[in-house]
Amino acid sequence: MNNKTFYYARVSTREQNLNRQIAAFLALGATERDIITDKESGANLDRKGYTALKNTLLRRGDTLVIKSLDRLSRNKTDIKNELQFFKDNGIRLKVLDLPTTLMECPEGQEWVWDMVNNILIEVIGTIAQQERETTKARQSEGIAVAKSKGVPFGRPKAQQPDNWDSVICEWRNGNITAKRAMELTQTKRTTFYKLAKSNI
């Protein structure tokens, strides 16, 4: 069976135009039936055209051509995972904005493609990790600043009902059950015991 080449173009909204990406593919000799498109956000991978490519069209030995890596996803971790998927399934990925991925290797030297794939996966993975760490650091800094300004975080503390002191005294003296105490104070089990513990 002959190996095939497919092309994937994506824009984020229906108002945006796919023409530039499609023109680049046609210039490479693509036929329109081999160009798969999506007009959906790159925030997730659950896109009709892309899903069809991965699950139905692409086979081991085939080639997928895209304009840039962000056509796969906006998320670096997702991009890394997709690169790994193509590598594991024997699908060659060509990225027009990354000339290294376009080079042709003599038969028997396909290991060069594996090397390029490994480098891409490593680089994208490192960038994704840095982005996660940067985001986490910014969140921590933001929380610290907010706390310094008195902004409360977490669940609000449970407030004692007006009749709490008298009811809790009756319960501790064994005059009423915990269930009755909860009814009288209109508190749930967790809240009741939490407040009771804090009052010890």
Side-chain angles (χ1 to χ4, degrees):
M1 185 173 67
N2 293 330
N3 294 332
K4 298 190 66 175
T5 298
F6 292 94
Y7 304 79
Y8 179 67
R10 181 187 67 78
V11 290
S12 297
T13 67
R14 294 192 175 278
E15 290 72 29
Q16 291 178 301
N17 203 305
L18 290 161
N19 290 350
R20 187 169 62 89
Q21 295 175 65
I22 292 175
F25 298 154
L26 294 175
L28 295 175
T31 60
E32 290 193 8
R33 71 176 184 179
D34 292 329
I35 300 175
I36 310 302
T37 64
D38 277 316
K39 285 193 171 186
E40 294 184 56
S41 169
N44 64 72
L45 299 172
D46 188 20
R47 305 185 296 267
K48 185 176 179 180
Y50 189 64
T51 300
L53 259 176
K54 288 179 63 179
N55 296 342
T56 307
L57 299 174
L58 286 167
R59 297 284 187 270
R60 183 170 294 275
D62 286 348
T63 298
L64 176 62
V65 182
I66 57 176
K67 182 71 173 62
S68 58
L69 282 175
D70 62 4
R71 296 307 85 197
L72 295 178
S73 175
R74 288 182 357 209
N75 182 290
K76 296 296 190 302
T77 299
D78 284 345
I79 293 175
K80 176 181 178 292
N81 292 338
E82 295 309 286
L83 292 174
Q84 189 67 52
F85 170 85
F86 295 132
K87 178 187 174 185
D88 293 344
N89 288 276
I91 297 164
R92 183 178 177 189
L93 180 68
K94 291 185 177 182
V95 186
L96 301 188
D97 287 353
L98 295 174
T100 309
T101 66
L102 306 178
M103 64 183 178
E104 298 298 334
C105 300
E107 189 174 347
Q109 295 189 20
E110 290 81 3
W111 60 268
V112 176
W113 293 337
D114 284 337
M115 181 182 69
V116 171
N117 277 339
N118 289 338
I119 292 172
L120 270 178
I121 292 169
E122 185 66 29
V123 169
I124 295 298
T126 300
I127 293 173
Q129 180 63 29
Q130 288 176 340
E131 286 186 349
R132 286 193 295 271
E133 291 175 357
T134 298
T135 299
K136 189 174 181 180
R138 286 175 179 168
Q139 288 174 339
S140 297
E141 290 169 4
I143 291 171
V145 170
K147 283 184 175 179
S148 71
K149 294 180 179 180
V151 177
F153 282 84
R155 293 181 178 179
K157 292 183 178 179
Q159 297 296 315
Q160 290 184 357
D162 293 337
N163 63 344
W164 176 260
D165 289 337
S166 59
V167 173
I168 200 71
C169 183
E170 288 291 300
W171 172 64
R172 285 186 173 142
N173 289 334
N175 297 327
I176 59 174
T177 64
K179 182 179 180 181
R180 179 57 180 158
M182 292 175 209
E183 291 172 352
L184 291 171
T185 56
Q186 296 184 344
T187 55
K188 294 182 179 180
R189 181 182 179 85
T190 302
T191 303
F192 176 81
Y193 283 109
K194 184 177 180 181
L195 287 172
K197 183 177 180 181
S198 66
N199 274 211
I200 294 176

